[in-house]
Amino acid sequence: MAEDAILGYLATHEEIPDSGQFASQHGLHHNDVVNVIKSLHGFRYIDAQDIKRESWVLTDEGKKYAAEGSPEVQLFLAIPSEGSIAKDELQKKLDPSLFKIGCSQAGKNKWVDMGKQVSRKVQHVEDKVKDLLIRIQDGQTLGKEDINSLRARKLIVAQTWKGYSVSKGPNYAPKRKKVATDLTRENLQRGDWKELEFKEYNFNAKGPPAEAGHLHPLLKVKQQLKNIFLQMGFEEMPTNNFVESSFWNFDALFQPQQHPARDSHDTFFLEAPSTTRELPEDYVQLVKRVHESGGYGSRGYMYDWKREEANKNLLRTHTTAVSTRMLYTLAKQPFAPKRYFSIDRVFRNESVDRTHLAEFHQIEGLVCDRGLTLGDLIGVLNDFFSRLGMSKLRFKPAYNPYTEPSMEIFSYHEGLKKWVEIGNSGMFRPEMLLPMGFPEDVRVIAWGLSLERPTMILYGIDNIRDLFGHKVDLSLIKRNPICRLGIN
Ligand code: PHE
């Protein structure tokens, strides 16, 4: 409506000098007129020049008087036209503030005689204040003196009014042309594309946000840990098998077949295929012997080692199974020192709670060299964990079937103000290394920790189900920041 009015008016007139007047002459809201002006200006149908005017608007008090009359007139009308009224009585008839203002204004105007008794001095008064206020309401302009007196009484306040003067622009037309935004199949078929006017490209417009993949926090932390291991000269072990035989997961690690971890309460065994297809037979014999009767200075466990037990397939319970395979391969070659690491998934039949799932990721590192000592292990651990920002470490004697000595690793948590367990470590037993064929003076120091624990701390997640599994909020994956481990 406003658009037709503006374009139509300009067809026969040079300009619209004032959008405000134009709006009221055409019975339009000025806001609508302004919006149309902006839009038409954008397409250069019109040229528009800003107009700014100080205008006056009524205050709440001003609006009240415009409707009900000024206090002085209300007071005047409350006085009888003949005789007088007691001041107290007059006061009762009027609102207190109205009475006060009315008295002073009517007094100034010399309309009334004020004493104990109040009487009219003139027969007739005009409500000039009310009239002026109404004129302002109607958008009329008043003289300086009137404005000043209303402003002094705080009945009006200044307001900047913004509008436009408008004339034809370079693309002026009495009606806006619909421009096409797309070239459609129908346009081509009908052939009307020749007549169509197309909307210009807006090369400054923002495109839709590009959808892209996002890395899970575990992957980010994993990558940083990888970098730390690589900086320390470690090689990554191939961990691409979740299914493992009991032999490589337990037996080769000198973990006895009666060990509670080998129970289905702790370990997921496979139904199909339930057993492994092949194992290195001569090595199996050596492992059997070390379990049953020891050797290499050990008495062994002195029980009947069963091949069927070793054949059982399971979901690996630790990545140490991979380390064991790697060490076995390494022992077959002429000896060379090695540093290996892995970060991958392991599975345990655990009851699930805020901090435990039946699967998690293990970070594992090992160093294999002649004559290594527990001091070397402590040194490597200090180096590794200080790169993760944990430089205060403590060690506590522990037990693993495959390491001796074994140490739990604790770090001082500045936030929690206490020592928290962060990993497990040890030196692999001779009962594990010597059947593989390593020279006698070769030692392997190793440690393991979970990837979830540091990730939850770094990303402030206190329920593991918010980090991993079907309850994870996808927007967390989109928004989570980079991992700065090992960067600072
Ligand atoms: N395999 C151990 C675990 O699952 C970690 C570990 C690795 C301990 C290497 C000692 C040496 O907790």
Side-chain angles (χ1 to χ4, degrees), residues 253 255 317-321 323 346 348 360 362-366 377 399-400 402-403 405-407 409 421 423-428 444-450:
L253 283 103
Q255 189 147 341
T317 64
H318 54 186
T319 45
T320 317
S323 305
V346 300
R348 291 182 191 177
F360 64 101
Q362 268 191 337
I363 304 161
E364 181 149 325
L366 69 85
L377 175 57
Y399 173 77
N400 296 308
Y402 38 91
T403 54
S406 311
M407 304 189 301
I409 311 161
E421 197 201 325
N424 185 3
S425 68
M427 303 182 71
F428 285 134
V444 178
I445 56 179
W447 72 98
L449 62 146
S450 92

Side-chain angles (χ1 to χ4, degrees), residues 15 45 55 95 154 158 165 219 227 281 408 430 436:
E15 70 160 1
Y45 278 86
S55 73
D95 181 88
K154 296 203 172 65
S165 71
L219 289 174
N227 292 345
E281 290 308 327
E408 278 172 0
M436 290 175 174

Side-chain angles (χ1 to χ4, degrees), residues 120-249:
R120 291 186 181 183
K121 257 185 175 171
V122 293
Q123 272 318 300
H124 216 74
V125 295
E126 264 168 36
D127 199 343
K128 191 177 169 209
V129 168
K130 178 179 171 173
D131 293 345
L132 291 175
L133 290 171
I134 289 172
R135 280 169 64 191
I136 288 190
Q137 238 170 6
D138 289 348
Q140 298 181 27
T141 39
L142 302 186
K144 236 192 187 140
E145 233 168 87
D146 290 334
I147 290 289
N148 285 343
S149 79
L150 293 177
R151 202 172 54 168
R153 288 179 67 175
K154 296 203 172 65
L155 302 182
I156 57 171
V157 282
Q159 196 187 48
T160 317
W161 179 91
K162 283 184 196 140
Y164 297 94
S165 71
V166 174
S167 57
K168 283 181 190 149
N171 297 340
Y172 174 79
K175 240 189 144 38
R176 202 200 280 247
K177 268 178 251 144
K178 273 237 160 64
V179 287
T181 50
D182 266 321
L183 182 60
T184 64
R185 181 164 162 266
E186 287 73 28
N187 295 148
L188 295 173
Q189 283 175 336
R190 288 194 298 258
D192 61 4
W193 58 271
K194 287 179 214 150
E195 281 82 50
L196 282 181
E197 196 171 320
F198 288 95
K199 189 174 180 188
E200 283 192 37
Y201 281 111
N202 177 1
F203 292 105
N204 297 318
K206 276 192 182 167
E211 276 301 328
H214 298 271
L215 291 178
H216 189 280
L218 283 173
L219 289 174
K220 295 184 179 179
V221 177
K222 180 173 169 175
Q223 184 58 50
Q224 289 311 112
L225 281 155
K226 256 189 195 188
N227 292 345
I228 289 171
F229 273 118
L230 294 173
Q231 284 159 14
M232 291 174 70
F234 284 66
E235 289 169 51
E236 188 167 9
M237 296 185 269
T239 48
N240 52 347
N241 62 307
F242 292 166
V243 174
E244 189 53 275
S245 63
S246 291
F247 179 79
W248 286 112
N249 194 82

